[in-house]
């Protein structure tokens, strides 16, 4: 359900156009992937490198969700009598597959680290995770308004809020490591 109305001379589109939110979230998360990868290498942190891979899948997921919301807005045609609204379901499925592939890609290295642990820079991880909290919280807020009305918006919202929570967990865990050695 999309409707436009004006507040004090400027219009708002509730429930319809999230192009700006998707573009900003994709740009921020792409930058964060680069930050995590660079600091993951510098700090010798598999956690940061793994999260960079995970956030790269988030960027791809946001791109899929954005494309699905655009397709879902298309009018029905003789060939597509329901329009392309089903693309939301396919995008959600592809997002799930991306997350499983990203998780599977880091599993062998994580298992190896149990037998051959390496030291990491806790302060670096805390700083990068704090940036992740800010980026994911800001992105989450952009999708908050229509999270109950659109499957892809809800998926983006839930995924971004979960990522912010994971970054908060990383800050707390690494703070404990730094404090206790």
């Amino acid at each position: 359900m999309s409707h436009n109305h004006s507040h004090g001379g400027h219009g708002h589109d509730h429930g319809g156009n999230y192009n700006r939110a998707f573009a900003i979230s994709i740009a921020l998360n792409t930058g964060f992937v680069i930050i995590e990868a660079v600091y993951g290498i510098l700090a010798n942190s598999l956690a940061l490198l793994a999260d960079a891979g995970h956030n790269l899948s988030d960027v791809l997921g946001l791109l899929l969700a954005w494309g699905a919301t655009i397709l879902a807005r298309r009018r029905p045609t003789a060939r597509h009598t329901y329009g392309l609204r089903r693309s939301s379901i396919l995008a959600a499925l592809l997002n799930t597959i991306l997350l499983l592939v990203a998780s599977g890609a880091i599993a062998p290295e994580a298992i190896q680290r149990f037998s051959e642990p390496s030291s990491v820079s806790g302060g670096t991880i805390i700083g990068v995770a704090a940036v992740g909290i800010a980026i994911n919280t800001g992105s989450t807020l952009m999708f908050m308004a229509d999270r109950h009305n659109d499957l892809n918006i809800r998926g983006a919202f839930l995924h971004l809020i979960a990522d912010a929570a994971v970054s908060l967990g990383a800050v707390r865990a690494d703070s404990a490591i730094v404090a206790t050695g």
Side-chain angles (χ1 to χ4, degrees):
M1 297 226 168
S2 179
H3 63 278
N4 289 314
H5 59 270
S6 183
H7 294 286
H10 62 280
H12 293 283
D13 185 12
H14 298 279
N17 191 338
Y18 278 83
N19 289 336
R20 186 169 187 253
F22 276 115
I24 291 170
S25 292
I26 288 166
L28 288 172
N29 279 283
T30 299
F32 189 52
V33 166
I34 295 166
I35 290 168
E36 281 189 311
V38 167
Y39 281 99
I41 291 166
L42 294 175
N44 193 29
S45 172
L46 179 62
L48 286 177
L49 290 173
D51 203 46
H54 167 250
N55 282 315
L56 180 59
S57 75
D58 287 353
V59 169
L60 296 174
L62 284 168
L63 285 166
L64 281 170
W66 190 7
T69 58
I70 290 169
L71 290 174
R73 280 191 241 130
R74 289 198 174 168
R75 301 250 183 243
T77 64
R79 182 169 182 208
H80 301 283
T81 58
Y82 188 64
L84 296 173
R85 292 188 184 136
R86 290 186 190 112
S87 60
S88 294
I89 296 166
L90 292 174
L93 174 65
L94 287 173
N95 268 327
T96 302
I97 292 168
L98 277 173
L99 284 173
L100 291 172
V101 168
S103 298
I106 63 164
E109 181 68 22
I111 292 167
Q112 180 184 346
R113 292 271 175 123
F114 279 119
S115 61
E116 299 171 25
S118 60
S119 63
V120 297
S121 172
T124 300
I125 295 171
I126 292 168
V128 173
V131 170
I133 292 169
I135 287 173
N136 285 306
T137 299
S139 294
T140 297
L141 294 173
M142 290 187 283
F143 291 101
M144 195 166 166
D146 209 32
R147 69 188 183 277
H148 297 297
N149 299 327
D150 182 288
L151 179 65
N152 279 305
I153 299 302
R154 182 174 179 80
F157 172 82
L158 291 173
H159 200 117
L160 291 164
I161 203 164
D163 285 349
V166 167
S167 292
L168 178 61
V171 167
R172 294 177 81 185
D174 284 311
S175 295
I177 289 170
V178 168
T180 63

